[in-house]
Amino acid sequence: MKSESPITTVVTRDVMAGREADYEAWARRAASASARYGATAHTFLTPDPAAPTRRVLIAQFPHAEAAKAWDESDERNRLVAEAEEFSSLHLQQGSGLETWFALPGRPAIVPPPRWKQLLATVVRAYPLVVLMSAWVLPRLATWPLLLRSIVLPVVLLTLMTYVVMPWVTKALRSWLYPQQPDRS
């Protein structure tokens, strides 16, 4: 049975200077090939002006089985080997709050600068902390300390992760991501 959740794959490569045309031709072939395995959309990005040879290819698949079929295909393996001739794979890992800054429906390719993450987070978390401190925590005064102490972080982080930050990221997208075009 196929899972119904779409899958987005992100491939970031550092292209050798002067080989950008080779990458562009390769990326078009990779998009065409992955479409034969079910990829429904492709996005090509040059996300970081400070690293002009870095390129990102994003492919969206309708479900995990299609993405797995592409990942395990001989055609993909041949294309990856070909790409190694003019580029190297660049791996990224999300390590913290930057995962809050994903635009809804899009992966976070290059997180905003940390100072922008901090400012957007504090501006939205502070009112929640004040509200909880004024109205919720006083009603829990008779609870044991450890139980009372877990309420604020659990409620705050849940609201921030699932309600507040998706909204804030969308509302502040042009400030957080000034170099990325709006594709919504």
Side-chain angles (χ1 to χ4, degrees):
M1 182 174 145
K2 292 180 182 173
S3 68
E4 296 304 317
S5 297
I7 300 294
T8 301
T9 61
V10 180
V11 178
T12 305
R13 300 198 72 86
D14 290 322
V15 180
M16 293 175 194
R19 302 289 305 265
E20 293 85 356
D22 294 327
Y23 172 84
E24 300 300 331
W26 172 86
R28 284 191 297 278
R29 287 194 310 279
S32 178
S34 64
R36 289 191 287 276
Y37 289 83
T40 57
H42 296 87
T43 303
F44 303 89
L45 299 173
T46 304
D48 187 357
T53 60
R54 181 156 299 154
R55 300 289 190 274
V56 178
L57 171 58
I58 303 168
Q60 294 177 326
F61 292 87
H63 45 75
E65 290 78 8
K68 183 178 182 200
W70 166 245
D71 286 343
E72 295 175 352
S73 73
D74 290 339
E75 192 167 12
R76 180 189 169 278
N77 291 339
R78 280 192 299 277
L79 284 162
V80 169
E82 180 185 335
E84 293 298 322
E85 296 174 16
F86 53 82
S87 64
S88 60
L89 187 61
H90 175 79
L91 298 176
Q92 289 179 267
Q93 295 179 333
S95 61
L97 293 180
E98 68 266 15
T99 60
W100 274 354
F101 291 89
L103 291 170
R106 289 193 231 158
I109 303 303
V110 177
R114 288 193 182 274
W115 70 269
K116 286 185 177 184
Q117 293 178 44
L118 174 66
L119 187 58
T121 303
V122 167
V123 166
R124 297 319 309 160
Y126 180 73
L128 291 174
V129 170
V130 169
L131 288 172
M132 293 215 33
S133 296
W135 285 290
V136 177
L137 296 180
R139 288 167 175 71
L140 308 179
T142 60
W143 289 21
L145 176 63
L146 292 178
L147 189 57
R148 192 174 60 223
S149 298
I150 198 162
V151 171
L152 178 65
V154 168
V155 172
L156 178 70
L157 292 174
T158 301
L159 286 172
M160 291 293 290
T161 300
Y162 294 106
V163 178
V164 176
M165 292 315 293
W167 177 82
V168 166
T169 302
K170 189 170 185 169
L172 298 178
R173 93 174 74 209
S174 62
W175 179 70
L176 290 168
Y177 303 97
Q179 77 279 6
Q180 294 183 9
D182 182 11
R183 300 184 198 274
S184 54

